[in-house]
């Protein structure tokens, strides 16, 4: 049984032979038709270094509503073999402590990603000229068992990482970062972490449970998955049960940057310091959408006022260019709380920015 399944949106036009012909002819030489649930046995015909690479179709050639509901309308495939990077959905929200709905995040992010294009003029990044990228669909999680879901996520990501593919994850609540980092550590050892969030997610337990979206980084520390001297948490804010809610993170060596220390300023100088701290060793980016102010990202489960701005989010991600980024995630998008899709649109753009800062991406 496949651990990775195509998104539930990837039906209709992408399932029939005529639609495949449309995508193949319009995407250009070297592009592959969509795979996944409709064609689970399809595998890549060449390695990433051989020949043309996948790229999103232009809106000037293929109308934006046309095609499979994949991230940036990229080909969907069931195997990570031959890919340098891939978008992966983890539609899980049973670790949520407040408002549910993040299980629908990956699907809505994909829907809003139709507006994204192939180049980043602000940074000069051309990711699709440098990397073979596709959408691997969704991890088949167990919505009735959080522990089992974490097992399924870890096993799926071990296969992705073993293939030399860098995963860019569409969440899902923040619990999912824990099994992803378990898989990361098997290859890279303890990794550095750039964590953008309103919350530190280092609680020990809630209602007697040690696994939910408020505990992933506590569990990561317990298992030695993080290089704690290279962990930076940005955007932390909100009310608390104590006057020193940052004690645990700081006692582990984490750098905690409060939201109020970011108000009304550029974060470029901060990211210069973060770059020095991370060095050239493997690092992971985990971006909770509630790190941003709910004025910009209302579609999330645990919103906190007075957060970061979208421009500051761009400064944070772009500040990682040139670092040894081995994986990224964008979590906690809950579409039911933003029916207009602005939160998911913002998330899609941030994931594109993460793609643009991966190693080996050409910049001009």
């Amino acid at each position: 049984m496949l651990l990775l399944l195509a998104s539930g949106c990837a039906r209709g036009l992408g399932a029939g032979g005529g639609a495949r012909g449309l995508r193949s002819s319009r995407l250009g030489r070297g592009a592959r038709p969509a795979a996944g649930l409709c064609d689970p046995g399809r595998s890549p015909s060449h390695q990433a270094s051989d020949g043309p690479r996948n790229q999103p179709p232009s809106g000037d050639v293929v109308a934006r509503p046309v095609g499979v509901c994949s991230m940036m309308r990229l080909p969907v495939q069931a195997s990570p073999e031959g890919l340098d990077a891939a978008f992966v959905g983890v539609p899980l929200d049973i670790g949520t402590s407040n408002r549910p709905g993040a299980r629908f995040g990956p699907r809505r992010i994909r829907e809003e990603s139709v507006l994204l294009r192939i180049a980043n003029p602000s940074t000069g990044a051309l990711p699709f000229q440098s990397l073979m990228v596709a959408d691997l669909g969704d991890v088949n999680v167990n919505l009735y068992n959080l522990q089992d879901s974490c097992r399924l996520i870890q096993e799926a990501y071990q296969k992705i990482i073993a293939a030399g593919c860098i995963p860019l994850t569409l969440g899902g609540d923040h619990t999912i970062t824990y099994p992803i980092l378990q898989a990361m550590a098997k290859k890279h050892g303890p990794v550095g972490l750039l964590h953008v969030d309103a919350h530190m997610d280092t609680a020990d337990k809630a209602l007697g449970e040690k696994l939910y979206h408020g505990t992933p980084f506590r569990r990561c520390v317990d298992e030695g998955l993080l290089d704690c001297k290279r962990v930076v948490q940005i955007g932390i804010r909100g009310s608390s049960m104590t006057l020193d809610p940052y004690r645990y993170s700081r006692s582990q060596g984490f750098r905690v940057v409060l939201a109020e220390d970011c108000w009304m300023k550029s974060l470029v100088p901060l990211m210069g310091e973060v770059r020095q701290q991370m060095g050239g060793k493997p690092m992971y980016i985990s971006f909770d959408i509630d790190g941003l102010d709910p004025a910009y990202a209302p579609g999330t489960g645990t919103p906190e006022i007075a957060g970061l701005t979208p421009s500051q989010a761009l400064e944070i991600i772009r500040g990682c260019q040139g670092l040894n980024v081995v994986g990224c995630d964008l979590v906690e998008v809950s579409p039911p709380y933003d029916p207009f899709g602005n939160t998911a649109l913002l998330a899609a753009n941030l994931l594109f920015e993460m793609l643009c800062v991966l190693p080996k991406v050409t910049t001009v």
Side-chain angles (χ1 to χ4, degrees), residues 231-248:
V231 175
V232 181
Q233 299 180 300
I234 303 175
I236 308 300
R237 62 191 189 279
S239 57
S240 172
M241 298 303 294
T242 72
L243 289 177
D244 189 12
Y246 327 113
R247 179 181 301 173
Y248 175 82

Side-chain angles (χ1 to χ4, degrees), residues 175 177-182 185 189-193 195 200-204 210-212 214-233 246-256:
T175 313
T177 306
Y178 164 54
I180 293 172
L181 288 176
Q182 286 179 314
V191 296
L193 174 69
H195 172 209
M200 290 174 292
D201 293 351
T202 54
D204 187 31
K210 297 178 75 70
L211 186 59
Y212 78 107
T215 64
F217 301 116
R218 183 74 161 246
R219 301 289 79 86
C220 288
V221 171
D222 291 346
E223 297 182 19
L225 309 179
L226 298 176
D227 180 354
C228 292
K229 299 300 182 183
R230 295 193 304 123
V231 175
V232 181
Q233 299 180 300
Y246 327 113
R247 179 181 301 173
Y248 175 82
S249 285
R250 288 173 172 162
S251 72
Q252 301 303 314
F254 297 4
R255 179 175 182 178
V256 179

Side-chain angles (χ1 to χ4, degrees), residues 26 56-65 73 114-118:
R26 296 288 180 85
S58 168
D60 295 334
V61 178
V62 180
R64 298 198 187 280
R73 297 192 291 173
V114 70
L115 287 173
L116 295 172
R117 303 168 183 88
I118 64 173

Side-chain angles (χ1 to χ4, degrees), residues 28-164:
R29 180 174 174 268
R32 297 194 300 278
L37 285 179
C38 305
D39 195 2
R42 185 176 295 275
S43 60
S45 59
H46 52 73
Q47 295 297 311
S49 58
D50 301 332
R53 298 179 173 88
N54 299 333
Q55 70 176 31
S58 168
D60 295 334
V61 178
V62 180
R64 298 198 187 280
V66 171
V68 179
C69 184
S70 65
M71 186 66 181
M72 297 184 69
R73 297 192 291 173
L74 287 164
V76 180
Q77 66 182 56
S79 169
E81 296 297 329
L83 297 179
D84 298 302
F87 295 102
V88 187
V90 185
L92 182 75
D93 65 0
I94 58 174
T96 302
S97 60
N98 189 34
R99 307 191 303 195
R103 68 182 64 183
F104 303 114
R107 181 174 299 186
R108 191 59 190 268
I109 293 169
R110 287 182 172 111
E111 290 176 358
E112 298 300 333
S113 74
V114 70
L115 287 173
L116 295 172
R117 303 168 183 88
I118 64 173
N120 191 330
S122 297
T123 66
L126 296 166
F128 299 103
Q129 287 190 13
S130 314
L131 307 175
M132 178 64 84
V133 189
D135 189 327
L136 286 178
D138 293 333
V139 177
N140 186 23
V141 295
N142 182 349
L143 292 177
Y144 308 111
N145 187 318
L146 188 55
Q147 293 279 358
D148 190 44
S149 287
C150 286
R151 176 187 64 82
L152 292 168
I153 295 166
Q154 181 184 359
E155 291 175 355
Y157 276 77
Q158 283 179 205
K159 293 183 179 181
I160 295 169
I161 296 164

Side-chain angles (χ1 to χ4, degrees), residues 188-357:
H188 301 289
V191 296
L193 174 69
L194 177 62
H195 172 209
V196 182
D197 203 323
H199 315 97
M200 290 174 292
D201 293 351
T202 54
D204 187 31
K205 58 185 178 181
L207 301 176
E209 299 296 325
K210 297 178 75 70
L211 186 59
Y212 78 107
H213 74 164
T215 64
F217 301 116
R218 183 74 161 246
R219 301 289 79 86
C220 288
V221 171
D222 291 346
E223 297 182 19
L225 309 179
L226 298 176
D227 180 354
C228 292
K229 299 300 182 183
R230 295 193 304 123
V231 175
V232 181
Q233 299 180 300
I234 303 175
I236 308 300
R237 62 191 189 279
S239 57
S240 172
M241 298 303 294
T242 72
L243 289 177
D244 189 12
Y246 327 113
R247 179 181 301 173
Y248 175 82
S249 285
R250 288 173 172 162
S251 72
Q252 301 303 314
F254 297 4
R255 179 175 182 178
V256 179
V257 182
L258 304 182
E260 50 259 47
D261 295 328
C262 302
W263 290 346
M264 309 301 290
K265 67 176 67 171
S266 168
L267 299 188
V268 170
L270 169 64
M271 289 309 300
E273 297 172 6
V274 170
R275 291 174 63 82
Q276 290 187 337
Q277 185 174 349
M278 293 296 171
K281 297 179 181 179
M283 64 160 294
Y284 185 88
I285 302 172
S286 186
F287 201 115
D288 188 325
I289 201 68
D290 74 23
L292 299 179
D293 192 276
Y296 306 106
T300 191
T302 318
E304 304 282 359
I305 67 166
L308 303 177
T309 67
S311 59
Q312 289 175 318
L314 293 182
E315 289 178 326
I316 291 170
I317 296 172
R318 291 174 181 176
C320 295
Q321 192 166 31
L323 296 178
N324 187 11
V325 179
V326 296
C328 315
D329 64 51
L330 192 294
V331 298
E332 298 285 354
V333 172
S334 182
Y337 295 96
D338 183 6
F340 300 106
N342 291 337
T343 306
L345 176 63
L346 177 53
N349 277 271
L350 296 181
L351 283 159
F352 172 68
E353 293 285 340
M354 293 176 190
L355 176 66
C356 289
V357 301

